[in-house]
Amino acid sequence: MSTVDDIQLYLAEKRAIIDQFPVDAVVAAAEMLFRTYDEGGTVYAMGNGGNAGTLDHAYCDFKHHPFVSEDKSRPVSASVRRLTFVNLCGSSAELSGLVNDLGPDNMFSASLEPFATERDLVMAYSGSGNSPNVVRALQAATKAGARTFAMTKGDGGRCRELADVCLVVPGTSRFPGQTGRNDNNFHFEDLMLSVNHMLVGLLKQRVGQAAQAVQLTA
């Protein structure tokens, strides 16, 4: 195949995935996010490798984007509830310390377990659905009574069994770099950012409604 053919293949695969994307799972994730926000809970998120980088992006978006005006000139009223978002892979010092002391399989659960409550939402991202550190964190979240969302691909792995809502990216790929054990991983990582943007936008809409209600009662 030529380079043009490969690029067209990638885009064709992407369109096919979007056409069969599990929208119901995004709706369910949004509902859990709304409940967490309304109850003053905390969103915790985790992932490995490139997914951790995407979560750094998500941390910025979730923490700030819903709470600025549409023209980005000012924050919404201080009386409007903010969202607490914790990126469990955000600190290299914390992660390396936990790996050194407790091992890589416990790096997320050790950070999460002392703090998670039933008001919280734990979001887990794993291409295989079987990353041991993600699986153990989901188990800790479930034990704490927290809501749990996972995003994965393939057969969903352990994450599909453990999470309250598991979004499994459909499809398979023939594009270079995401075949074999890495099947569909580029598409998964692309769509992880898309899902985060959908959730941030939906939360911004909800926050905007809350801000309008504050203005009407002021």
Side-chain angles (χ1 to χ4, degrees):
M1 294 177 68
S2 69
T3 300
V4 170
D5 289 337
D6 283 335
I7 293 170
Q8 290 177 338
L9 170 64
Y10 190 90
L11 295 174
E13 290 177 350
K14 184 74 69 190
R15 285 190 291 270
I17 291 172
I18 290 172
D19 284 344
Q20 54 182 320
F21 201 72
V23 173
D24 289 349
V26 183
V27 172
E31 290 172 351
M32 290 195 295
L33 175 64
F34 295 160
R35 285 187 61 191
T36 300
Y37 171 71
D38 291 345
E39 294 172 10
T42 297
V43 176
Y44 297 91
M46 78 201 87
N48 294 298
N51 300 336
T54 301
L55 287 178
D56 205 26
H57 183 148
Y59 166 80
C60 178
D61 282 357
F62 274 98
K63 186 173 181 179
H64 298 291
H65 188 67
F67 305 102
V68 297
S69 61
E70 286 294 332
D71 63 2
K72 295 189 177 183
S73 66
R74 64 192 185 281
V76 299
S77 169
S79 61
V80 175
R81 185 194 301 277
R82 265 49 178 179
L83 176 72
T84 302
F85 188 101
V86 176
N87 178 5
L88 293 176
C89 37
S91 168
S92 59
E94 180 180 26
L95 289 180
S96 59
L98 289 170
V99 169
N100 185 63
D101 294 344
L102 301 173
D105 291 355
N106 297 309
M107 58 193 273
F108 294 138
S109 59
S111 183
L112 175 69
E113 197 165 16
F115 303 103
T117 73
E118 68 279 355
R119 296 183 305 159
D120 300 333
L121 169 62
V122 175
M123 304 175 74
Y125 298 86
S126 170
S128 68
N130 291 313
S131 302
N133 52 9
V134 171
V135 166
R136 291 194 182 186
L138 282 175
Q139 291 170 332
T142 299
K143 184 178 179 181
R147 306 171 187 101
T148 53
F149 167 75
M151 183 170 174
T152 183
K153 60 183 179 63
D155 63 7
R158 295 289 310 283
C159 286
R160 191 169 197 165
E161 304 167 14
L162 292 168
D164 294 327
V165 176
C166 185
L167 190 161
V168 180
V169 174
T172 188
S173 178
R174 295 185 294 112
F175 185 80
Q178 62 166 351
T179 58
R181 291 186 62 186
N182 205 38
D183 183 36
N184 225 30
N185 205 55
F186 293 163
H187 293 318
F188 165 78
E189 291 183 348
D190 290 349
L191 289 163
M192 176 181 166
L193 185 58
S194 295
V195 168
N196 286 336
H197 279 158
M198 284 186 260
L199 294 176
V200 167
L202 292 168
L203 179 62
K204 183 173 180 62
Q205 178 175 259
R206 192 175 185 88
V207 170
Q209 293 167 350
Q212 287 181 343
V214 167
Q215 290 176 347
L216 291 173
T217 57

